[in-house]
Amino acid sequence: MSALATADLGAVLQLVPVQRAGIALLLASVGLPVIGVVIVGLDIMPVRFAMMHVALLGIAVGLLTGIDPMVCALVACALSGAGVAPLARTPSGLSGAMGLLMSLAIAAALLVLAVSGVNASGAFALLWGSILSVGTADLVVLGALAVVVPALFWWRRREVALLLYDRELAQCSGVPVRLLTTVLLVLVAVAVAGAIKLTGALLVDALTLLPALAARRLGRSLGSITLWAVCIGVAVNVTGFLLALWLDWPPGPVLVLTAGAVVLAAHLVPERRISPWRASASVPPVSLPSSH
């Protein structure tokens, strides 16, 4: 039975939609866990729900206008991320802004669907995802995120670390806080929208937040946490996808359960091995001259 299942899995892996889905998950495992580090660092957990509703609005507009719904969702999320940034004067303000955005987006989406008479089933399908329907445009978005997000973290690693550590400290240290916050929020928004087709909006945490949570437990600095997040993302995506194909189960829930198991396993690491990851962002103490 095991040999037969393995043979079946090998045959399934030869299918083009399955290969596209596998490539998409590999690309997602590079950029999206880093986005999860941003979400955790800025303490904007509601961003996933807010962008889910914004994506729903974008898809509703796409169905109404005849434009590709996923393109509309990506544009809507990117504009929303940029629009919310000016409201985020303090770290706590980000969560409030996301709550406002979520409420407005879902109200607008439901209004568009009700007034236009568009079949809502296509819009709400994003809640469950459709990983085997990944197309070239989805691969381009995920590939761009896989390059841009790690590159930004490496290029501006000190500024990003300071911003995630303390907004006011970053401002006093000369970091362009507003611009950097806007860029990060736009990347977060686009990443969440780009991952929706892979796992569905309800399970997008498997690609973003869960690898970052496990990485925070294992890393000792922002750089090591980012590296851990990417490694965990690759391991979770490959393992979960192959397991889902082998068992003929929906990939989204399997990916979430696999990532959740890794998070729980990471929390078995003794606390004494963990040091504050934000220490690398702190300003070094000034040495005072000794009095004679």
Side-chain angles (χ1 to χ4, degrees), residues 89-145:
R89 300 304 182 192
T90 63
S92 60
L94 288 170
S95 296
M98 288 299 170
L100 172 63
L101 178 62
M102 179 169 54
S103 301
L104 296 177
I106 188 60
L110 293 176
L111 183 61
V112 169
L113 292 173
V115 172
S116 65
V118 172
N119 186 358
S121 61
F124 285 101
L126 72 93
L127 296 176
W128 320 115
S130 181
I131 191 170
L132 295 181
S133 66
V134 168
T136 303
D138 302 300
L139 294 178
V140 169
V141 172
L142 294 172
L145 289 170

Side-chain angles (χ1 to χ4, degrees), residues 144-165:
L145 289 170
V147 173
V148 172
V149 174
L152 175 64
F153 258 59
W154 175 255
W155 180 41
R156 296 292 185 183
R157 55 189 179 277
R158 179 181 178 275
E159 289 87 347
V160 171
L162 280 169
L163 178 61
L164 298 185
Y165 174 61

Side-chain angles (χ1 to χ4, degrees), residues 11-277:
V12 169
L13 291 175
Q14 299 300 316
L15 300 176
V16 173
V18 174
Q19 293 176 353
R20 282 179 174 269
I23 294 172
L25 282 174
L26 284 177
L27 292 174
S29 64
V30 176
L32 299 190
V34 184
I35 292 296
V37 174
V38 174
I39 293 174
V40 174
L42 290 178
D43 192 20
I44 49 173
M45 302 296 181
V47 69
R48 298 112 62 217
F49 303 106
M51 291 308 148
M52 177 185 74
H53 291 83
V54 171
L56 178 62
L57 173 59
I59 288 178
V61 172
L63 292 174
L64 176 63
T65 60
I67 304 174
D68 187 340
M70 285 310 298
V71 171
C72 291
L74 287 169
V75 172
C77 287
L79 293 176
S80 298
V84 166
L87 301 177
R89 300 304 182 192
T90 63
S92 60
L94 288 170
S95 296
M98 288 299 170
L100 172 63
L101 178 62
M102 179 169 54
S103 301
L104 296 177
I106 188 60
L110 293 176
L111 183 61
V112 169
L113 292 173
V115 172
S116 65
V118 172
N119 186 358
S121 61
F124 285 101
L126 72 93
L127 296 176
W128 320 115
S130 181
I131 191 170
L132 295 181
S133 66
V134 168
T136 303
D138 302 300
L139 294 178
V140 169
V141 172
L142 294 172
L145 289 170
V147 173
V148 172
V149 174
L152 175 64
F153 258 59
W154 175 255
W155 180 41
R156 296 292 185 183
R157 55 189 179 277
R158 179 181 178 275
E159 289 87 347
V160 171
L162 280 169
L163 178 61
L164 298 185
Y165 174 61
D166 186 281
R167 184 184 179 89
E168 293 184 1
L169 177 61
Q171 185 81 52
C172 295
S173 301
V175 176
V177 169
R178 293 186 182 179
L179 176 60
L180 187 56
T181 300
T182 301
V183 171
L184 291 177
L185 286 177
V186 169
L187 289 176
V188 168
V190 171
V192 171
I196 283 177
K197 186 175 285 189
L198 300 182
T199 62
L202 298 178
L203 302 178
V204 74
D205 287 350
L207 303 180
T208 55
L209 189 61
L210 295 184
L213 291 176
R216 280 195 68 181
R217 184 74 182 183
L218 301 172
R220 298 173 178 270
S221 65
L222 180 60
S224 64
I225 283 181
T226 302
L227 183 58
W228 269 110
V230 172
C231 293
I232 292 171
V234 171
V236 164
N237 287 359
V238 172
T239 303
F241 187 54
L242 291 177
L243 186 61
L245 293 176
W246 185 52
L247 297 173
D248 194 21
W249 288 355
V254 176
L255 287 169
V256 172
L257 292 174
T258 305
V262 172
V263 173
L264 293 175
H267 277 74
L268 296 178
V269 176
E271 187 70 22
R272 60 184 176 82
R273 292 181 54 187
I274 310 302
S275 59
W277 69 272

